[in-house]
Amino acid sequence: MKALVLKEYRQFAIEDFPVPTLQPNEVLIRVRACGICGSDVHGMDGSSGRRIPPIVMGHEAAGVIAEIGSAVTGWTKGDRVTFDSTVSCGECWYCGRGEINLCENRRVLGVSCGEYRRHGAFAEYVAVPQRILYRLPDNLSFEQAAMVEAVSVAVHAVERTPLELNAAVAVVGTGMIGLLVVQVLRARGCGKIIAIDLDDGKLALAKRFGATHAIMADESDLQEKIRALTSGRGADAAFEVVGLPATVKTAIESVRKGGSVTLVGNLKAQAELPLQAVVTRQLTLIGTCASAGEYPTCLDLIASGKVNVTEFISATPPLEEGASWFERLYAGEKGLMKVLLKP
Ligand SMILES: [Zn+2]
Ligand SMILES: [Zn+2]
């Protein structure tokens, strides 16, 4: 089969690659669309240590079942599917609790990190275990389905957050995930959704996607503006979707006493914490990572139009053009959001 192989750091080749051999509990999927994730772009230069060549990357995919392992039940050739980007073991203490994102033996498709090498979906075929498969609603395209991982990050973050009906919520950072958080909060029934960013283009998008208010992050009276919108108290909850010290601070300052701050972004590994404000204002800080079984909800949100993902799809080039699209994403080309390769 054809595969896009990372041969050396920042060096790709389209190669003839062996079709994966199936374990009894696996299905073979003919990949129809696979998204280039930020973690692939950052990983391809070796900086993350999680894409050690040679590796076929790609973990955000959708396609059609082409072959069934001998122990697989309930799936047939021709089924349209997507799958969890991480392969959980199904056996550890966390998996037993349904916290599959915290699995002790979690492996991400398309990752090689020294500990393991698992080829991914920038190829004509990929093999995945039955327990991470999800059926696509009929009206969902492969391209939309390949966006489900990003949606699931937003849905999991919102699910982790205590939100009363009609809550006032601040979203700090409106890149793709932040904009998905805005849409999920709208579906969740929030009263006020206050988008905060440094890019007025992204803020305009946030308003189109359901933000009730948009404020530039560098406005000196940012906190007064948030309080003016929330009866002088501050937001009930905030989502930090950047991961820098300044934006963490903004998120913490934007919530009322007793409010919660859900931390989604982690561009930096460390951020200073306004400890006294967190303690004396009795705030709740919530970490959130990936997702844990929310895919069916996400697929339904996309299929019903409650969450729009097509706006984020910048291009759908063939697999052969993968290398040049990786370079454009690596260079940080403005306006490029999600690129889906089609093997
Ligand atoms: Zn991803
Ligand atoms: Zn596990």
Side-chain angles (χ1 to χ4, degrees), residues 5 14 17 40 43-44 49 51 64 85 102 104 111 115 126 177 204 211 229 262 301 311 339:
V5 187
I14 293 283
F17 214 72
D40 296 326
M44 75 164 182
R51 302 292 191 280
V64 179
S85 53
L102 307 180
E104 297 277 19
V111 163
E115 213 180 305
V126 67
I177 300 291
L229 294 168
T262 301
L301 284 170
E311 293 264 350
V339 174

Side-chain angles (χ1 to χ4, degrees), residues 35-40 51 59-60 85 149-150 338:
I36 300 179
C37 181
S39 63
D40 296 326
R51 302 292 191 280
H59 57 264
E60 304 178 353
S85 53
E149 187 204 46
K338 185 60 77 179

Side-chain angles (χ1 to χ4, degrees), residues 60-266:
E60 304 178 353
V64 179
I65 294 182
E67 210 72 61
I68 304 273
S70 56
V72 170
T73 54
W75 298 93
T76 46
K77 279 189 203 178
D79 285 348
R80 301 166 74 250
V81 294
T82 185
F83 48 86
D84 222 308
S85 53
T86 60
V87 183
S88 49
C89 75
E91 284 164 12
C92 73
W93 189 82
Y94 292 101
C95 281
R97 292 157 56 91
E99 294 174 326
I100 56 174
N101 55 332
L102 307 180
C103 171
E104 297 277 19
N105 311 301
R106 178 175 189 258
R107 293 182 165 199
V108 183
L109 284 159
V111 163
S112 59
C113 57
E115 213 180 305
Y116 65 88
R117 164 172 284 118
R118 176 137 196 161
H119 292 302
F122 290 136
E124 284 178 280
Y125 295 95
V126 67
V128 304
Q130 165 177 9
R131 68 173 173 283
I132 65 167
L133 281 181
Y134 299 92
R135 204 176 297 279
L136 301 191
D138 289 339
N139 64 337
L140 205 71
S141 67
F142 295 116
E143 290 81 3
Q144 286 172 305
M147 299 294 292
V148 71
E149 187 204 46
V151 176
S152 77
V153 169
V155 167
H156 188 65
V158 171
E159 293 274 66
R160 298 260 306 135
T161 307
L163 287 171
E164 289 174 18
L165 189 65
N166 208 39
V169 183
V171 178
V172 183
T174 50
M176 186 177 72
I177 300 291
L179 290 169
L180 288 167
V181 168
V182 165
Q183 296 189 61
V184 175
L185 288 171
R186 179 183 57 183
R188 185 71 177 70
C190 289
K192 290 198 174 103
I193 301 171
I194 306 162
I196 299 163
D197 202 284
L198 279 170
D199 180 329
D200 52 3
K202 287 179 181 168
L203 286 178
L205 256 185
K207 287 199 88 169
R208 262 188 39 226
F209 284 144
T212 54
H213 302 83
I215 310 177
M216 289 292 280
D218 55 2
E219 285 184 29
S220 56
D221 58 347
L222 171 65
Q223 294 304 334
E224 288 79 59
K225 285 195 164 128
I226 293 169
R227 274 163 182 73
L229 294 168
T230 53
S231 310
R233 288 191 294 269
D236 299 305
F239 289 78
E240 202 287 337
V241 205
V242 184
L244 294 173
T247 44
V248 169
K249 185 166 173 282
T250 298
I252 289 175
E253 286 173 354
S254 69
V255 295
R256 64 166 168 81
K257 289 187 276 186
S260 65
V261 178
T262 301
L263 302 164
V264 187
N266 61 111

